[in-house]
Amino acid sequence: MLTNRVKGVEYAIREIAAVAHEVAKSGKKVYHLNIGDPVAYDFPTPEFISEALFKASREGKNNYVNSLGVIELREEIGRILSEKQNLNIGIDDILVTSGVTEGIYFIIAGLIENGKELLIPGPSYPLYINYAKFFDGKPVEYALNEDDDWEPDIEDLRKKITNKTQAILICTPNNPTGVMYGEKKIKEIIDLAGEYDLPILSDEIYDQIVYDKPYVCPASLTKDVPIIGLNGFSKTHLVTGWRLGYLYYHDPENKLDELKNGIAKMARARLSANSVAQFAAVDILKTSSNHTVEMVQKLKERRDYSYNRLRKIEGISCVKPNGAFYLFPKLDLKELGKWKDDKELVVDLLKETGVCTVYGSGFGDYGKGHLRITFLPKVEILEKVYNLIEEHLK
Ligand SMILES: Cc1ncc(COP(=O)(O)O)c(C=O)c1O
């Protein structure tokens, strides 16, 4: 007894973890390069952040709170968006969610039904595909062009807009490619959205994890096209398990009022996001700390090491990531010879060497023939991992 809706849900990142669990049970050491969770590696939650959570709980802030989010937290988020991005976002334009995940769920629930289409990047973070299908809609992937450093292909995007399109989703820095969209391309997408009167959904979870050039906030580039930004505390503040995020509406011409009110209703129906985490988040945002900068410094070395090793492996090519913590190399399956597709290779690599990556086809059609690998582990571990990969693919 199970609905087709639920039968259709797939999440390669976690599914490969189940195979890894079996491999570990057989006594083999597993190297996890499949999950984008820095806290699971050597990036523990900073002490002052854990303290803020204990403090909130000790102070008795353990009850349900405002469904749209604790007001002080929304004020802080608005202040930061105004300071950093020069956006005019008031507390009524912010909704606190249980991670970006819930924000995406809410928005897709509010926009998609009955075969309506959501334009998402291809390759795509699986959540967008899952929720679009879950709500009886159609995820339509526009190409990120690997030959152009994974920049979005604007002509392909234009071709895929139909009278069923409800919104254009962008994700920069991107999961799984690890690359930011260039400012010029973001502007072109904004122009296109304006031309067709479509809102943009902007997944900004990796906005502070960038290496070679500054992050560009899409909403800062337009005074009229509506943009819903999604962000959270998981990665930047090293609290993936707290499940705390938010969305904000940059909607200077109030085109999204109906959607906004509908989503607020959904938020009320689920009572509230985690209360103690919200009060702790107010303290976190008010405290000046270098933990994200330090994390990025450490990650940069790991990115460079991984990229240099990967590009020397025969049968593999890779665009250098400039954000997030993923590499998305392309496999030349003909040259490699032994495996029929990316999934077979990933499962074989895992079973034989213990190296756990994610098959690219788990990120939609454009992901086929690729692997997603995080560079979160320490260089000593990465060295072992790349030795194993290199040896196995020979
Ligand atoms: C692009 C992207 N969006 C959203 C999420 C989920 O974020 P959260 O922990 O805030 O739900 C992830 C997690 O890996 C992600 O990579």
Side-chain angles (χ1 to χ4, degrees), residues 170-197:
I170 63 184
C171 175
T172 172
N174 186 269
N175 178 4
T177 70
V179 179
M180 283 188 269
Y181 294 22
E183 181 167 339
K184 185 165 165 282
K185 296 285 180 183
I186 301 176
K187 283 186 175 147
E188 286 173 18
I189 295 177
I190 290 172
D191 288 345
L192 205 54
E195 192 181 325
Y196 287 90
D197 206 15

Side-chain angles (χ1 to χ4, degrees), residues 106-113 116 118 166-167 199 201 228 259:
F106 280 163
I107 294 175
I108 297 185
L111 283 175
I112 298 293
E113 63 184 346
K116 292 264 169 69
L118 178 68
Q166 292 290 87
L201 317 179
I228 305 174
L259 177 69

Side-chain angles (χ1 to χ4, degrees), residues 201-357:
L201 317 179
S202 170
D203 186 338
E204 303 171 359
I205 188 86
Y206 298 108
D207 66 340
Q208 293 184 53
I209 305 178
V210 299
Y211 306 104
D212 309 317
K213 49 184 183 179
Y215 167 74
V216 176
C217 173
S220 70
L221 302 177
T222 175
K223 299 243 176 295
D224 54 358
V225 174
I227 298 193
I228 305 174
L230 296 123
N231 210 332
F233 291 78
S234 289
K235 320 269 175 175
T236 310
H237 297 298
L238 298 164
V239 289
T240 41
W242 284 16
R243 314 306 304 122
L244 189 66
Y246 57 91
L247 55 87
Y248 65 90
Y249 301 91
H250 170 70
D251 183 23
E253 296 178 356
N254 299 322
K255 291 181 178 165
L256 299 178
D257 280 356
E258 194 184 6
L259 177 69
K260 195 168 154 183
N261 291 334
I263 288 178
K265 213 164 57 170
M266 285 194 65
R268 287 194 287 273
R270 64 72 160 111
L271 307 183
S272 73
N274 184 330
S275 66
V276 270
Q278 291 193 56
F279 285 105
V282 177
D283 281 354
I284 297 168
L285 294 182
K286 284 186 173 163
T287 306
S288 87
S289 165
N290 271 337
H291 60 277
T292 313
V293 176
E294 283 162 11
M295 167 169 68
V296 170
Q297 272 164 3
K298 267 162 77 174
L299 282 173
K300 192 169 179 195
E301 188 200 357
R302 299 174 193 191
R303 187 264 322 241
D304 291 341
Y305 179 82
S306 304
Y307 173 70
N308 285 330
R309 286 296 306 266
L310 256 184
R311 68 199 189 110
K312 289 188 193 128
I313 299 178
E314 273 179 44
I316 281 189
S317 58
C318 189
V319 175
K320 189 173 186 179
N322 58 17
F325 26 64
Y326 309 105
L327 297 129
F328 202 60
K330 180 154 111 187
L331 304 164
D332 184 338
L333 287 161
K334 259 202 206 119
E335 188 181 333
L336 291 166
K338 187 172 159 199
W339 303 274
K340 80 170 188 304
D341 58 25
D342 51 282
K343 188 167 182 181
E344 195 175 278
L345 185 145
V346 162
V347 173
D348 185 50
L349 180 71
L350 172 58
K351 288 185 174 162
E352 293 299 319
T353 66
V355 173
C356 184
T357 60

Side-chain angles (χ1 to χ4, degrees), residues 133-151:
K133 287 189 184 162
F134 191 82
F135 288 110
D136 199 21
K138 190 169 156 206
V140 177
E141 293 176 58
Y142 62 88
L144 301 180
N145 183 358
E146 190 164 14
D147 298 331
D148 184 21
D149 288 341
W150 290 120
E151 285 275 19

Side-chain angles (χ1 to χ4, degrees), residues 117-122 138-144 153-168 192 196 198 365-366:
E117 295 170 6
L118 178 68
L119 279 164
I120 57 173
K138 190 169 156 206
V140 177
E141 293 176 58
Y142 62 88
L144 301 180
D153 179 338
I154 305 297
E155 275 325 297
D156 188 57
L157 177 58
R158 177 184 284 281
K159 271 196 281 191
K160 288 176 176 164
I161 296 176
T162 71
N163 57 7
K164 291 191 172 161
T165 307
Q166 292 290 87
I168 301 173
L192 205 54
Y196 287 90
L198 295 168
D365 285 346
Y366 288 92

Side-chain angles (χ1 to χ4, degrees), residues 76-147:
E76 273 310 293
I77 293 168
R79 180 185 64 76
I80 289 169
L81 285 167
S82 141
E83 262 175 37
K84 278 195 165 171
Q85 308 299 349
N86 203 17
L87 298 177
N88 185 14
I89 306 285
I91 56 168
D92 294 335
D93 304 314
I94 296 167
L95 169 67
V96 179
T97 55
S98 301
V100 168
T101 304
E102 189 186 46
I104 291 170
Y105 173 85
F106 280 163
I107 294 175
I108 297 185
L111 283 175
I112 298 293
E113 63 184 346
N114 251 339
K116 292 264 169 69
E117 295 170 6
L118 178 68
L119 279 164
I120 57 173
S124 165
Y125 181 53
L127 196 68
Y128 316 141
I129 301 179
N130 274 326
Y131 283 162
K133 287 189 184 162
F134 191 82
F135 288 110
D136 199 21
K138 190 169 156 206
V140 177
E141 293 176 58
Y142 62 88
L144 301 180
N145 183 358
E146 190 164 14
D147 298 331

